[in-house]
Amino acid sequence: MADESANKNADQDLVCPDCKGSLKRRRTRKPDECEMLCGVCGQQFDVCDLDTVDRLKKGS
């Protein structure tokens, strides 16, 4: 359970580089752990790619 709360906190630190909206996990029956969506513009991001994650972190 501690892992789930840590993942949620990490997810809140990621923002869309275009519109600055927060990223969310896709709600599906079989969610992809690497895929996140922008809550504002709907862009998809691969958060398993370290370069992408660095670009999405707040303050960058």
Side-chain angles (χ1 to χ4, degrees):
M1 296 216 184
D3 292 336
E4 289 179 18
S5 62
N7 286 342
K8 286 186 180 186
N9 290 337
D11 293 349
Q12 293 174 353
D13 294 340
L14 302 177
V15 295
C16 178
D18 296 333
C19 68
K20 305 300 182 206
S22 62
L23 300 186
K24 303 176 183 180
R25 298 255 180 227
R26 181 184 288 260
R27 291 181 175 174
T28 62
R29 290 182 183 180
K30 297 179 183 177
D32 182 359
E33 292 297 321
C34 292
E35 183 181 41
M36 292 188 77
L37 300 173
C38 175
V40 178
C41 69
Q43 258 187 330
Q44 296 180 3
F45 299 97
D46 178 11
V47 294
C48 290
D49 179 30
L50 296 178
D51 292 334
T52 302
V53 172
D54 288 341
R55 191 171 52 117
L56 298 174
K57 286 192 179 181
K58 285 184 180 177
S60 55

